[in-house]
Amino acid sequence: MNHKLEKYCSLFLYRYLPLTLLLLFIMVPFYWTLNTSLKLEGDITKMPIEYWPAPATFDNFIMSWNNVGFSLFFRNSMFIALSTVLIVLVLSILAGYAISRFSFKGKNAFMLLLLCTQFVPGAMLLIPLFMQFKAMQLTGTHLGLIITYSAFQLPFNAILMSGFIRGIPEALEEAAEVDGCNRLQAIFHVILPILIPGLVATSVFTFIGAWNEFLFALMFITKKSLFTLPVGLSYMQGEFDINYGALAAGSVIALVPVVILFSYVQKYLVQGLGAGAVKG
């Protein structure tokens, strides 16, 4: 009996209590944002604090989506994020394949250079990029953001993809070539179907990086009709007042695609990252 009690106490102290505290630490801000988005404007700053919206309302979501312009910001962010994913996916497959399958002079230096790009803070490149894009008339356009996000996401994803491809036996490609496929056909028919977990992991990381990016979107885009969701959220904070309900509703709207994406692709994401870690 004492042994069982000691075992339960040990499980509670070392497993359930830390996990519960960690879960509370992570989830409370999300809950409070959702709680605020469902409250009436007068109830948000009401004292004593109400921990549950009563009555709950969706007026803040309707206001954010229709009046503030979140429907347009949502479409802009979705277009930029999906375009970035498409570009990064294609280029990272090609770069990852070249790194993993071919030996060439300067390969180690090239890999080191890709890795070093991850150590450079984006803020350091803000002014040079702005000057270049201004000369190319790309400031104030979504294309400038797509190019920027693709350039920042590509090195990490190329390294990640090379690990996934290295884990696929070359004998499969050789067998496809014996059956009449050229190298490109072997990549499409043999490599890509096996590479699905890696493609999903790469796509998710790229999408979230482009979806949440704020600094470059704030500096490059000045026209409201071209705002992305993070920039749209920042402009909801007025000089003298803040509509907390609409701001919280906008934050929830911005979270929805990321939560749905993670819920749907979680198994592929874990499988893909595991494969890259072990075989890369």
Side-chain angles (χ1 to χ4, degrees):
M1 184 65 184
N2 288 335
H3 178 68
K4 285 186 176 180
L5 182 60
E6 185 179 342
K7 182 180 177 182
Y8 289 142
C9 289
S10 177
L11 280 175
F12 175 77
L13 285 175
Y14 298 111
R15 182 181 298 179
Y16 296 117
L17 182 60
L19 290 177
T20 303
L21 293 175
L22 178 63
L23 187 63
L24 286 174
F25 183 76
I26 294 172
M27 293 305 297
V28 165
F30 289 100
Y31 168 72
W32 202 251
T33 302
L34 181 62
N35 181 33
T36 304
S37 69
L38 294 173
K39 282 183 177 177
L40 297 171
E41 188 65 25
D43 294 339
I44 293 174
T45 55
K46 186 178 177 182
M47 297 298 289
I49 296 173
E50 293 183 353
Y51 295 94
W52 184 259
T57 177
F58 289 99
D59 289 349
N60 293 318
F61 288 93
I62 296 172
M63 181 187 297
S64 294
W65 192 258
N66 293 330
N67 300 344
V68 178
F70 259 70
S71 57
L72 183 60
F73 304 156
F74 189 92
R75 286 199 296 272
N76 290 339
S77 286
M78 188 63 74
F79 171 72
I80 293 170
L82 291 179
S83 301
T84 305
V85 168
L86 183 62
I87 293 171
V88 170
L89 208 56
V90 172
L91 295 181
S92 62
I93 289 172
L94 297 176
Y97 186 85
I99 293 170
S100 60
R101 289 291 193 255
F102 299 108
S103 297
F104 52 89
K105 192 175 182 180
K107 181 178 177 180
N108 291 333
F110 178 71
M111 290 286 290
L112 183 63
L113 185 63
L114 286 182
L115 193 62
C116 288
T117 58
Q118 302 304 295
F119 304 146
V120 180
M124 285 182 62
L125 303 176
L126 189 59
I127 294 177
L129 280 176
F130 183 83
M131 298 302 292
Q132 285 187 358
F133 283 164
K134 187 178 180 182
M136 299 167 66
Q137 298 183 341
L138 288 176
T139 53
T141 66
H142 287 164
L143 180 59
L145 285 181
I146 292 170
I147 293 173
T148 304
Y149 296 164
S150 300
F152 275 92
Q153 298 278 346
L154 185 57
F156 171 75
N157 285 299
I159 296 172
L160 194 66
M161 193 64 73
S162 69
F164 294 138
I165 295 175
R166 196 175 294 119
I168 300 174
E170 291 187 51
L172 294 176
E173 288 177 73
E174 293 169 358
E177 291 176 7
V178 169
D179 290 339
C181 291
N182 57 35
R183 186 178 288 274
L184 193 59
Q185 289 173 326
I187 292 174
F188 272 100
H189 295 301
V190 177
I191 298 294
L192 292 186
I194 302 174
L195 203 57
I196 286 177
L199 298 178
V200 172
T202 302
S203 302
V204 169
F205 280 120
T206 305
F207 181 89
I208 292 173
W211 183 264
N212 291 332
E213 203 285 326
F214 172 70
L215 183 60
F216 288 102
L218 179 67
M219 295 303 296
F220 290 174
I221 302 294
T222 55
K223 196 174 178 181
K224 187 177 179 181
S225 61
L226 298 176
F227 279 178
T228 59
L229 277 173
V231 180
L233 281 172
S234 72
Y235 272 84
M236 290 178 67
Q237 302 177 35
E239 185 177 359
F240 300 106
D241 64 329
I242 300 174
N243 188 336
Y244 290 106
L247 186 62
S251 301
V252 173
I253 292 171
L255 280 173
V256 167
V258 178
V259 172
I260 293 175
L261 197 61
F262 262 107
S263 303
Y264 182 70
V265 303
Q266 185 184 15
K267 60 179 181 180
Y268 295 106
L269 195 62
V270 174
Q271 184 182 352
L273 289 177
V278 174
K279 298 170 184 174

